[in-house]
Amino acid sequence: MPDERDAIESQVPEQTQGLRLIKPSHVATGFPAIVRSIKSALSQESVATMARTWTHINQDDGFDCPSCAWADPEGHRARFEFCENGAKAMADSATSARLTPEIFAAHSVEEFSRWSDYALNALGRITQPMVIRAGSKHYTPIGWDEAFTIVGEQLRSLRSPNEAVLYTSGKAVNESAFVFQLFARAFGTNNLPDCSNMCHESSGLALTRTLGIGKSTITLEDLESADCIVEIGHNPGTNHPRMLTSLQIAKKRGAKMIAVNPMAEVSLFRFAHPQKPWQWLGNGTALADLYLQVRINGDIALVKGFIKALFELEDAAPGTVLDRGFIEHYTSGFDALEQSIRSCSWESIVAGSGIALPEIRQAASMLAASERTVVCWCMGLTQHHNGVENIQEMVNLLLLRGNMGRKGAGALCIRGHSNVQGDRTMGIWEKMDDGFLDRLRDEFSFEPPRAHGLDTIGAIHAMADGRAGAFISLGGNFLSSTPDTPTVARGLSNMKLNVHIVTKLNRAHLFSGGTTLLLPCLTRTERDVQASGPQITSVENTVCKVSRSEGRMAPISTEVRSEIAIICGMAKATIGNRLAIDWDGMTGNYDVVRDAISHVVPGAEEYNTRVRDGDGFYLPVPPKERIFKTDTGKAKFTVNPMSPIALEQGQLLMTTVRSHDQFNTVIYGLEDKYRGIKGGRRVIFMNVDDMNARGLANKTLVDITSHFRGQDRTLERFQAIEHPIARGCTATYFPEGNALVPLDSVARGSCQPASKSVVISVVRSANQKVTNEALDEHTRTIS
């Protein structure tokens, strides 16, 4: 079996001779996005399949995009309502490549461990259930009934239900997520870690503390009608490209845009709509009116600067800047905030943010002139030790001018995976409130466990320390999406049982101590026919709207099953007749699941009717109505101290980022057109002054070591690449850089991995030799 070193895909050396620096695109999307979308689709599917998927994605009679969670336009849809990333996700799902038992027989898991994530994904869809048992080197086929029997026997053999960990990926639809949490709690555990633990746990906690709900407070139309938009801690062109259309609409209506990012990302500056040919020529639409290249983890200092400058403007013209009526009627904590801000020196703000005072004041003047402001953020704010405080400071900024519960104003927490927010709404959380658990009890006639379960970091510790014995994953790539990769591999290898509900092979499937099952499921693009006929499912997007999804393509194999059928099959084999839960009824008709959701989930009443009505419905978000269900009954100002990371001589800060050719852990290709990289991913982006100080040139091989509480982690032979990133800051690709992220380096309060502010040192590799071996991607060996 592979060992922990094999878990680090980035220890597989890139073909350094193949990595090339290309001219970066200077405009986001445009006509080249169409060309790349078609090329990606036709490399994996037929013209007919491409046409069917392209005309049904994000349409009322089709399926939801399996990529990001961006909202669909209200009342109108483009004929092709998706982006380049969506096209790649569809092609990846609808690929003609098949990972058959014959391929599994030809390659051991140890061999697979030497392949890159890109190569593993390119093997295609798994066609039938597979198993690998203790001591075996190969996956072999297994029948569904036997697989379910193994799950039931292994789970019942645990000393406690709390030795089981049930993880959820954001790709799971609402119905699957609801049934999965029901299975976990009926079995007797709240161990329900999910990918939200790693992306927006800080947002959820901060927004709940300050506004009373951990979700965005705006609609798509609010964003498009804003006077000023603050884009902070995210890169729309790579991570959620359809957002660029809304930004373009806002700009044409006269909105101002402030972009804040350590990296000068192309999509913050210019965008050409790929479906509007007249925009293909020239430089597209200018987006950012002001770009502030903040230092990594300098966001609180910067926003404190905005607020301090707003106070100065209010002092100069009392009653013209702050919304005193809103503050007095709807908020608490203002006096403490004001005292804290006024006591902050400009010197500490400038030093902490890396932004000059005139630029801070320019931004504040733009905010003061705006009657309707939206602040948008993603993981660039949440994945820090002070991630919760980062979001709370954004809320402070919005509350000062009453930008909450007003058209064109509010907080936009940009969710990543397509249904990560819906999964949490459905009960995928290790500490759901008693109200939810009471309603679950009343609906299904059993007493759910009340003790809080394990989040993702807690689950990894339990798995690695021997306190867990079974791991079940509803989608996702647990190994590659989490920090401290070797520790996660050790945890998976400790399990008596690993179960992965999957579509494709990934690195997490290669580490097994006892029995590991791969249970292949349908994708959203595929027809789902059960006993009662064709089924629909549903998802919740980033602005809290629920919509239906219905696959249109034929399943890839008669041996793949729906997520709900698999979950209910495992539950029935595990729980049996101990509880009066109709697992077969839920499998046969998803309306049964939605009826239960309507009784358990607040705001989901009459779910079956409303999800079929037009283009869906919004779940309640009280702050939209200026209702704040906090402990004070008001929106809360908070005092958030600047807590800069102390660096020793020669140390830098590292963030992890996606390339343009990937979505989360799925690698579609080896080109990052916006950053000028082609043919490899084993790179570290650095400021030119930091490179010069270390005697490095472009493509110099370097070793990267992270430092945390006396622990060092090293990745060798990355190529240093000059990039317009803030001085003292660096970036590596996710998931290659994950092995450098310490498991216990987390955000205070939310326990979210601090993957965006890792302390590192960079030194020139001893061996600068570039290999001349022309090895295929999938046959590269570990150095």
Side-chain angles (χ1 to χ4, degrees):
M1 296 295 291
D3 61 25
E4 292 174 28
R5 198 168 74 100
D6 297 318
I8 306 176
E9 192 276 332
S10 57
Q11 284 187 343
V12 183
E14 292 287 351
Q15 299 173 47
T16 50
Q17 186 174 351
L19 189 142
R20 293 191 292 118
L21 302 183
I22 59 176
K23 183 178 180 180
S25 299
H26 70 284
V27 178
T29 70
F31 179 69
I34 298 177
V35 175
R36 286 187 296 268
S37 297
I38 294 173
K39 182 179 178 180
S40 175
L42 294 183
S43 69
Q44 301 194 67
E45 56 188 338
S46 67
V47 173
T49 300
M50 180 185 77
R52 292 192 66 190
T53 55
W54 281 25
T55 53
H56 282 94
I57 189 168
N58 292 329
Q59 302 296 330
D60 290 337
D61 62 345
F63 49 86
D64 187 72
C65 179
S67 189
C68 80
W70 192 248
D72 297 319
E74 291 282 354
H76 64 91
R77 305 281 175 92
R79 188 67 183 114
F80 301 107
E81 190 59 61
F82 59 90
C83 65
E84 180 184 346
N85 282 7
K88 291 174 180 176
M90 284 186 291
D92 192 69
S93 173
T95 179
S96 59
R98 299 290 182 262
L99 179 47
T100 62
E102 290 74 22
I103 297 176
F104 277 111
H107 302 282
S108 68
V109 290
E110 186 174 356
E111 288 180 72
F112 281 137
S113 74
R114 299 189 181 111
W115 296 20
S116 70
D117 287 341
Y118 172 54
L120 292 174
N121 184 68
L123 288 169
R125 295 279 300 278
I126 299 172
T127 58
Q128 63 187 86
M130 304 296 293
V131 62
I132 188 167
R133 305 176 195 270
S136 178
K137 296 182 179 181
H138 292 262
Y139 274 101
T140 58
I142 187 174
W144 280 105
D145 289 344
E146 184 182 359
F148 291 151
T149 297
I150 290 173
V151 173
E153 290 177 347
Q154 291 282 356
L155 289 180
R156 289 194 302 272
S157 73
L158 297 175
R159 292 169 296 182
S160 162
N162 288 322
E163 288 190 344
V165 173
L166 291 86
Y167 172 79
T168 307
S169 160
K171 189 180 286 187
V173 295
N174 284 344
E175 293 77 4
S176 303
F178 184 82
V179 173
F180 198 54
Q181 65 82 29
L182 176 62
F183 171 33
R185 293 185 167 109
F187 179 57
T189 185
N190 281 315
N191 289 346
L192 284 161
D194 68 337
C195 59
S196 189
N197 291 151
M198 294 177 285
C199 62
H200 273 294
E201 200 66 45
S202 296
S203 297
L205 178 58
L207 293 174
T208 300
R209 282 178 177 174
T210 57
L211 302 178
I213 188 170
K215 296 184 176 184
S216 296
T217 68
I218 70 164
T219 65
L220 200 60
E221 290 66 38
D222 288 325
L223 177 64
E224 294 170 355
S225 58
D227 296 327
C228 184
I229 300 170
V230 180
E231 294 278 294
I232 183 166
H234 74 109
N235 175 15
T238 290
N239 299 331
H240 25 267
R242 284 201 298 156
M243 182 183 188
L244 293 169
T245 300
S246 293
L247 294 179
Q248 185 179 62
I249 291 171
K251 289 295 296 182
K252 289 185 175 180
R253 287 178 173 172
K256 299 296 182 181
M257 179 172 150
I258 302 169
V260 181
N261 199 308
M263 301 180 77
E265 303 286 16
V266 172
S267 64
L268 298 175
F269 299 99
R270 292 197 169 273
F271 166 63
H273 199 300
Q275 296 185 44
K276 296 181 179 179
W278 58 91
Q279 294 187 19
W280 295 349
L281 301 176
N283 293 320
T285 300
L287 296 178
D289 297 278
L290 176 64
Y291 169 61
L292 303 176
Q293 191 169 46
V294 68
R295 290 174 179 164
I296 288 176
N297 200 242
D299 306 286
I300 283 184
L302 178 62
V303 178
K304 282 186 182 297
F306 294 167
I307 295 173
K308 187 175 180 69
L310 287 173
F311 279 138
E312 291 180 347
L313 292 171
E314 174 73 5
D315 292 342
T320 64
V321 177
L322 304 187
D323 189 336
R324 296 286 184 179
F326 176 85
I327 291 171
E328 291 173 10
H329 189 73
Y330 290 105
T331 74
S332 64
F334 174 76
D335 291 342
L337 172 74
E338 182 176 21
Q339 181 180 358
S340 169
I341 293 295
R342 291 188 183 278
S343 67
C344 287
S345 69
W346 277 119
E347 290 77 13
S348 64
I349 288 171
V350 170
S353 65
I355 304 299
L357 181 54
E359 292 179 291
I360 295 175
R361 286 188 165 138
Q362 181 183 353
S365 295
M366 294 168 65
L367 292 165
S370 169
E371 291 300 316
R372 300 175 297 185
T373 297
V374 171
V375 176
C376 317
W377 73 88
C378 199
M379 290 182 287
L381 287 191
T382 62
Q383 290 186 329
H384 299 273
H385 68 278
N386 54 354
V388 176
E389 293 93 328
N390 279 341
I391 310 310
Q392 290 176 170
E393 201 69 17
M394 303 305 127
V395 174
N396 286 341
L397 180 65
L398 288 166
L399 295 181
L400 282 175
R401 289 184 46 76
N403 284 301
M404 194 63 60
R406 174 192 294 172
K407 180 178 172 57
L412 177 53
C413 163
I414 304 172
R415 303 288 178 171
H417 220 322
S418 53
N419 198 43
V420 61
Q421 183 163 291
D423 292 345
R424 183 60 61 89
T425 300
M426 293 296 114
I428 299 292
W429 196 26
E430 68 276 3
K431 44 187 176 185
M432 290 300 291
D433 63 83
D434 283 338
F436 181 95
L437 298 177
D438 288 345
R439 292 186 294 273
L440 193 70
R441 174 199 61 202
D442 296 343
E443 180 69 15
F444 292 101
S445 302
F446 77 95
E447 184 59 48
R450 301 288 170 152
H452 290 173
L454 299 171
D455 62 8
T456 295
I457 297 300
I460 294 170
H461 276 298
M463 293 163 68
D465 297 344
R467 291 180 285 114
F471 176 79
I472 302 176
S473 180
L474 176 54
N477 181 344
F478 191 70
L479 180 72
S480 294
S481 60
T482 47
D484 202 346
T485 313
T487 300
V488 181
R490 183 169 73 251
L492 289 168
S493 299
N494 285 344
M495 295 298 95
K496 298 176 183 177
L497 173 71
N498 284 302
V499 181
H500 301 276
I501 301 172
V502 297
T503 57
K504 291 186 167 186
L505 186 68
N506 66 51
R507 195 161 300 278
H509 308 155
L510 307 180
F511 296 87
S512 173
T515 301
T516 296
L517 293 164
L518 304 182
L519 305 182
C521 65
L522 297 170
T523 67
R524 289 185 203 168
T525 63
E526 293 169 315
R527 290 192 298 271
D528 184 351
V529 181
Q530 301 297 335
S532 64
Q535 305 296 310
I536 65 167
T537 57
S538 58
V539 296
E540 179 185 349
N541 66 31
T542 199
V543 294
C544 313
K545 188 172 185 180
V546 175
S547 59
R548 60 179 282 168
S549 180
E550 184 173 5
R552 295 294 179 178
M553 310 302 295
I556 62 154
S557 164
T558 58
E559 285 294 309
V560 298
R561 297 190 179 183
S562 73
E563 291 175 344
I564 293 175
I566 296 170
I567 297 164
C568 289
M570 293 190 299
K572 186 177 179 181
T574 303
I575 298 168
N577 297 322
R578 180 170 61 84
L579 299 175
I581 299 176
D582 188 4
W583 303 108
D584 289 336
M586 288 188 286
T587 299
N589 188 345
Y590 300 169
D591 281 357
V592 175
V593 180
R594 284 185 288 271
D595 281 341
I597 291 172
S598 70
H599 300 151
V600 175
V601 176
E605 297 80 5
E606 299 182 2
Y607 198 105
N608 269 310
T609 300
R610 294 163 72 199
V611 81
R612 289 180 167 90
D613 183 16
D615 57 357
F617 65 95
Y618 283 96
L619 290 168
V621 180
K624 289 182 179 179
E625 309 300 324
R626 294 191 166 178
I627 298 171
F628 305 103
K629 296 184 178 182
T630 65
D631 57 2
T632 65
K634 296 184 176 185
K636 296 174 65 175
F637 286 103
T638 54
V639 175
N640 306 295
M642 289 185 285
S643 50
I645 298 172
L647 298 179
E648 297 180 6
Q649 181 71 30
Q651 290 183 340
L652 304 164
L653 281 176
M654 183 194 83
T655 184
T656 57
V657 297
R658 296 179 190 165
S659 79
H660 189 67
D661 241 359
Q662 75 178 99
F663 185 76
N664 289 349
T665 59
V666 180
I667 312 300
Y668 301 131
L670 298 176
E671 181 177 355
D672 193 349
K673 63 166 187 157
Y674 293 144
R675 300 189 185 106
I677 300 294
K678 187 170 185 176
R681 296 173 53 84
R682 195 178 178 79
V683 301
I684 178 168
F685 297 103
M686 300 182 68
N687 179 281
V688 62
D689 292 332
D690 292 325
M691 292 178 66
N692 290 338
R694 290 159 178 78
L696 306 177
N698 261 334
K699 301 181 71 173
T700 300
L701 293 174
V702 298
D703 300 338
I704 311 169
T705 299
S706 68
H707 311 282
F708 180 75
R709 296 178 183 172
Q711 306 169 18
D712 290 345
R713 296 165 173 81
T714 299
L715 292 176
E716 299 177 347
R717 294 175 63 78
F718 273 58
Q719 294 190 46
I721 302 296
E722 178 185 329
H723 191 77
I725 188 171
R727 182 77 191 269
C729 302
T730 66
T732 57
Y733 286 129
F734 163 94
E736 285 80 0
N738 284 2
L740 294 169
V741 181
L743 184 60
D744 292 321
S745 179
V746 296
R748 292 185 292 265
S750 69
C751 205
Q752 183 174 338
S755 302
K756 300 294 187 186
S757 50
V758 182
V759 177
I760 65 166
S761 56
V762 176
V763 299
R764 189 182 182 93
S765 300
N767 181 6
Q768 290 290 313
K769 182 179 180 181
V770 176
T771 179
N772 290 316
E773 296 177 81
L775 302 176
D776 286 341
E777 181 79 21
H778 69 279
T779 59
R780 300 178 307 173
T781 57
I782 294 176
S783 59

